[in-house]
């Protein structure tokens, strides 16, 4: 990459589709049976991709802008990079290694920040607010800490974007806040933000053969000649060695979180409340929901 290019990174995670949970979704020990759930693009991360592409749209007539996806996960996560390329991303990296197994949010954010550092100059990092499987909303802020850059969390709308600063509307509990930042900055994108643009037919045709070395090996296809003539079709994979880490900070050894026990929580009927269709009862319910911060 030319150091004068404006570099945007989107952190995107492939997650099990927890909205379509069937009876095989949990194993007997209470952990997620990932094989029984379809893998999807984490919904907030699609919104982060849209905000990144909107930033690119704002700047592209002034300077070259590159949108790069970084995903950490199994080799199958290359699907996330390909999907992003169909929608306008320029390229992407799959950070994948058995040595990442058992990573909690601290180890995940460490590995992701090391991968971002490998790219060199980065102007904006976008992430989703949270992933629908882990649900902690910690990874984006932790990456900003590790990169020692400011962060704007809960971004709902891109208000403006110039080569010098970004202006974002943030969603707060009881209102909105407009924040301005210079670069570099990390932005975590809220689920209320704009939906991602659909796949672009031309980009789909251009990138449909994009794949990683692991995918090519698994499907037993020889991509070498095509990659030599069209290097953008190679989705790069980075192992732990490639991101130059402190190995102690990866995977289980870098994960202080210990899961003590896991419970299946089943909502029982006593947690339901039946009200009549009268104005006073509905008002009472509204008051209760507001005072317990449910709405
Ligand atoms: C002790 C422990 C062991 C674990 N072991 C495993 C394991 O072996 N395998 C496993 O899959 N999970 C494991 N997990 C879960 C894993 O820690 C979390 O899924 C991961 O840290 C991300 O946290 P989150 O899902 O809460 O993301 P959030 O913090 O909710 O995500 C916020 C945003 O960060 C970005 N982001 C998060 N994760 C990634 C990623 N992988 N790649 C790119 N962007 C990302 C996305 O933009 C996302 O929207 C373990 C957790 C614990 C506590």
């Amino acid at each position: 990459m030319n150091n004068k290019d404006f570099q945007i990174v989107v952190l995107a995670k492939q997650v099990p589709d927890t909205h379509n949970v069937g009876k095989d979704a949990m194993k007997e020990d209470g952990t997620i049976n990932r094989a029984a759930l379809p893998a999807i693009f984490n919904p907030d991360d699609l919104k982060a991709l849209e905000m990144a592409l909107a930033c690119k749209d704002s700047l592209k007539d002034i300077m070259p802008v590159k949108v790069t996806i970084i995903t950490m996960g199994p080799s199958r996560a290359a699907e996330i990079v390909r999907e992003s390329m169909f929608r306008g991303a320029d390229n992407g990296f799959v950070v994948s290694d058995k040595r990442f197994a058992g990573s909690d949010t601290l180890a995940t954010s460490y590995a992701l920040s090391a991968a971002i550092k490998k790219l060199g100059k980065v102007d904006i990092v976008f992430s989703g607010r949270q992933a629908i499987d882990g649900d902690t909303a910690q990874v984006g802020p932790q990456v900003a800490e590790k990169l020692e850059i400011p962060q704007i969390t809960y971004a709902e709308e891109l208000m403006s974007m110039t080569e010098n600063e970004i202006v974002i509307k943030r969603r707060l509990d009881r209102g909105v806040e407009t924040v301005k930042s210079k670069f570099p900055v990390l932005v975590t994108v809220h689920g209320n933000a704009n939906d991602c643009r659909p796949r672009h037919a031309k980009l789909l045709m251009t990138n449909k053969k994009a794949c990683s070395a692991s995918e090519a090996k698994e499907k037993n296809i020889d991509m070498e000649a095509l990659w030599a003539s069209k290097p953008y079709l190679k989705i790069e994979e980075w192992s732990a060695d490639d991101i130059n880490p402190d190995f102690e900070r990866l995977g289980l050894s870098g994960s202080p979180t210990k899961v003590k026990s896991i419970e299946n929580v089943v909502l029982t009927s006593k947690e339901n409340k039946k009200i009549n269709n009268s104005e006073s009862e509905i008002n009472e319910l509204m008051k209760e929901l507001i005072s317990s911060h449910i709405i």
Side-chain angles (χ1 to χ4, degrees):
M1 190 196 71
N2 184 334
N3 250 1
K4 286 192 183 132
D5 294 358
F6 195 92
Q7 174 71 64
I8 302 175
V9 168
V10 180
L11 300 177
K13 185 182 183 189
Q14 193 175 43
V15 292
D17 185 359
T18 51
H19 291 132
N20 287 308
V21 175
K23 61 178 170 39
D24 303 327
M26 300 288 273
K27 295 187 204 158
E28 273 180 13
D29 62 2
T31 57
I32 296 176
N33 181 7
R34 287 175 193 266
L37 292 168
I40 59 165
F41 206 121
N42 182 52
D44 280 6
D45 303 354
L46 267 177
K47 306 219 165 190
L49 174 61
E50 175 54 36
M51 210 173 271
L53 295 173
C55 288
K56 180 176 177 174
D57 292 343
S58 307
L59 287 190
K60 67 174 192 261
D61 294 334
I62 309 172
M63 63 202 302
V65 186
K66 197 164 185 185
V67 174
T68 298
I69 308 299
I70 295 185
T71 183
M72 175 175 145
S75 54
R76 154 174 201 198
E79 289 166 6
I80 293 292
V81 175
R82 207 164 28 249
E83 183 62 41
S84 304
M85 290 166 80
F86 295 160
R87 294 168 191 248
D90 296 280
N91 66 342
F93 297 88
V94 181
V95 183
S96 190
D97 197 306
K98 286 202 172 78
R99 286 170 286 183
F100 297 133
S103 296
D104 66 3
T105 60
L106 206 66
T108 302
S109 59
Y110 175 68
L112 290 173
S113 58
I116 294 167
K117 283 182 189 164
K118 187 177 161 80
L119 284 179
K121 176 181 104 64
V122 170
D123 298 284
I124 314 182
V125 179
F126 281 103
S127 78
R129 180 178 72 100
Q130 71 181 53
I132 57 169
D133 56 345
D135 256 357
T136 65
Q138 292 173 358
V139 170
Q142 287 178 356
V143 169
E145 288 285 324
K146 291 185 173 72
L147 296 175
E148 297 183 64
I149 62 174
Q151 55 184 285
I152 303 175
T153 53
Y154 293 77
E156 192 176 72
E157 193 181 332
L158 175 67
M159 307 294 287
S160 69
M161 169 77 188
T162 66
E163 54 196 304
N164 299 315
E165 65 179 31
I166 186 168
V167 182
I168 294 270
K169 188 166 92 184
R170 301 179 65 217
R171 169 57 46 187
L172 303 177
D173 262 1
R174 284 159 199 269
V176 292
E177 186 177 69
T178 302
V179 184
K180 183 160 79 178
S181 177
K182 297 199 178 307
F183 308 116
V185 64
L186 182 142
V187 180
T188 79
V189 180
H190 194 276
N192 286 353
N194 282 346
D195 286 338
C196 192
R197 62 198 66 186
R199 295 170 171 189
H200 188 287
K202 194 169 159 215
L203 293 174
L204 182 66
M205 293 312 289
T206 310
N207 295 308
K208 68 179 179 191
K209 290 195 175 150
C211 69
S212 67
S214 299
E215 287 180 310
K217 193 173 165 201
E218 200 179 304
K219 291 181 189 148
N220 205 15
I221 36 176
D222 184 359
M223 289 290 292
E224 293 305 331
L226 197 55
W227 284 336
S229 62
K230 296 178 175 175
Y232 59 89
L233 290 179
K234 183 163 191 183
I235 299 175
E236 295 289 345
E237 290 172 303
W238 283 343
S239 70
D241 297 302
D242 291 320
I243 59 172
N244 196 22
D246 169 356
F247 285 91
E248 277 301 299
R249 296 179 70 182
L250 298 181
L252 269 182
S253 59
S255 300
T257 315
K258 300 284 170 268
V259 180
K260 208 170 160 200
S261 68
I262 299 173
E263 280 175 48
N264 278 329
V265 179
V266 181
L267 294 179
T268 58
S269 58
K270 71 178 177 206
E271 286 163 316
N272 294 331
K273 186 170 181 176
K274 205 165 183 180
I275 59 163
N276 291 321
N277 186 14
S278 73
E279 201 160 316
S280 63
E281 288 207 26
I282 291 172
N283 282 343
E284 273 313 303
L285 177 66
M286 293 301 282
K287 275 188 208 154
E288 207 177 298
L289 292 174
I290 290 168
S291 70
S292 52
H293 301 295
I294 292 172
I295 57 172

